[in-house]
Amino acid sequence: MPFWGLQKQLGVDVDSFLLRQSMPQPHGQAAVCHAFEREWVECGHGLGQTRARRECQLEYEDFMECMKRTKLTQRLRTILEQRDRMIKQGKYTPPEHHMGKEEPRP
């Protein structure tokens, strides 16, 4: 433990992203990824660090996906690229309300 709480003095919280799911939530409701974090912690409890990394890899990947949404953004990017490709080929025409050509509302 350091003598000075440098993060606290500077107002920077570097490691909070790993702890924010376990922290008390504002209205007493569970955080979004709390279930995934709990599975990961329960899987690795009592195991050594090396063994937990090997045996709890799936739980950790699920937890990180819930936190960062990397697979979701990659899938969305692929869908949008395919849509743009189909528009260029003339196989797909987006609806008018997606193109901003609808009548203005009162």
Side-chain angles (χ1 to χ4, degrees), residues 6 24 77 105:
L6 188 61
R77 187 177 296 120
R105 295 183 180 177

Side-chain angles (χ1 to χ4, degrees), residues 58-70:
L58 294 175
E59 287 84 357
Y60 182 73
E61 286 177 2
D62 289 342
F63 177 50
M64 283 295 118
E65 170 59 24
C66 184
M67 295 281 285
K68 297 180 181 179
R69 307 276 191 219
T70 53

Side-chain angles (χ1 to χ4, degrees), residues 1-16:
M1 189 163 126
F3 291 110
W4 299 283
L6 188 61
Q7 289 184 15
K8 193 172 187 178
Q9 287 179 351
L10 296 175
V12 178
D13 199 0
V14 177
D15 51 3
S16 68

Side-chain angles (χ1 to χ4, degrees), residues 39-58:
E39 288 176 8
W40 176 52
V41 170
E42 286 177 0
C43 177
H45 181 71
L47 302 176
Q49 184 178 6
T50 307
R51 195 170 149 205
R53 282 186 182 175
R54 184 176 56 243
E55 293 183 14
C56 301
Q57 184 66 29
L58 294 175

